[in-house]
Amino acid sequence: MPRQRTERLDRARVADTALRLLNDVGLDGLTLRAIAKELDVKAPALYWHFKDKQALLDEMATEMLRRMTAEAAVGPAAADWPEHLARAMRLLRAHLLRYRDGAKVYSGTHFTDLSYAPPMEAHLRVLADAGFTPAGAARAWLTAYSYTIGHVIEEQATGEGPDLAARAERLADHPLAAAAGEELFRAHDRGFETGLDAVLTGIAHTMAPR
């Protein structure tokens, strides 16, 4: 009886499997050995495609960007640069939250191809058309991007956070710190929007053309 053909092992399949496994085990538990087991291959087989875990993380981040870019292409164009940046950052946050430790995977990695270039060009073009210099457009984008990445890293790290009533009791002698619990550990959506508005307002006041 002929052997059943197995699906070809390539970079795309490994990265897709790693992203699915990430939701089960988190970044710390995501090892090449665990991915190989999921793929039903020996761990050395993965080294034909990725020299180490960092190389795999780079490909995972690139695949996350490809998926995000495909979704962004469906929506209508924003009316102005603040709205454009706000939509882009909301989409970035939403995609990072789809993966356990998604922001940690995405942050600090190096994209493995030029799929990042068209969306970056488009984002910077919106700012340039609004009168930003090339350097100013880059700085405005990076400022909003860095805020979003940092927010999601903290959001995913804290999760539901501690028992707020117990926390408030422990901090009874520090009423302001005690009252901060709701904002720090629960109000993620509202907090992100409030912070994003502050970032965009700051960009408008300090970087935007007059």
Side-chain angles (χ1 to χ4, degrees):
M1 185 174 181
R3 293 179 62 184
Q4 184 178 3
R5 291 185 61 187
T6 58
E7 188 177 354
R8 184 171 68 92
L9 186 65
D10 57 17
R11 289 174 63 88
R13 185 180 170 210
V14 175
D16 181 67
T17 300
L19 284 170
R20 287 190 285 104
L21 188 60
L22 180 67
N23 285 331
D24 294 331
V25 302
L27 183 56
D28 290 340
L30 187 70
T31 64
L32 292 177
R33 185 181 297 276
I35 297 166
K37 183 178 180 180
E38 189 76 9
L39 289 164
D40 195 24
V41 300
K42 299 296 184 181
L46 301 185
Y47 288 100
W48 285 100
H49 305 285
F50 302 100
K51 65 179 182 179
D52 52 29
K53 183 177 178 179
Q54 185 56 57
L56 174 58
L57 293 177
D58 290 343
E59 184 62 31
M60 291 168 63
T62 304
E63 178 57 25
M64 292 165 69
L65 175 66
R66 294 187 193 110
R67 296 176 183 182
M68 181 168 53
T69 300
E71 184 172 317
V74 176
D80 52 33
W81 73 261
E83 182 184 355
H84 178 86
L85 274 187
R87 287 186 185 181
M89 295 307 116
R90 289 174 187 137
L91 180 63
L92 174 60
R93 174 176 177 255
H95 269 263
L96 296 178
L97 288 173
R98 292 179 185 179
Y99 307 97
R100 181 176 170 183
D101 296 328
K104 287 185 179 179
V105 171
Y106 200 79
S107 176
T109 51
H110 299 280
F111 296 126
T112 59
D113 60 25
L114 291 179
S115 58
Y116 70 89
M120 176 179 283
E121 185 74 14
H123 293 314
L124 296 177
R125 176 56 56 191
V126 169
L127 294 166
D129 288 348
F132 285 78
T133 65
R139 180 54 55 187
W141 170 260
L142 182 60
T143 299
Y145 173 88
S146 298
Y147 162 73
T148 303
I149 294 290
H151 188 283
V152 180
I153 287 176
E154 289 297 320
E155 184 175 355
Q156 293 185 314
T158 58
E160 289 300 317
D163 181 316
L164 294 187
R167 179 181 180 275
E169 185 175 347
R170 291 194 303 272
L171 293 172
D173 293 336
H174 309 279
L176 292 177
E182 178 67 26
E183 289 297 322
L184 295 176
F185 301 109
R186 294 290 188 273
H188 295 310
D189 292 340
R190 184 181 74 246
F192 175 76
E193 289 295 330
T194 300
L196 181 60
D197 182 64
V199 168
L200 296 178
T201 300
I203 291 172
H205 280 286
T206 62
M207 302 182 196
R210 301 295 181 183

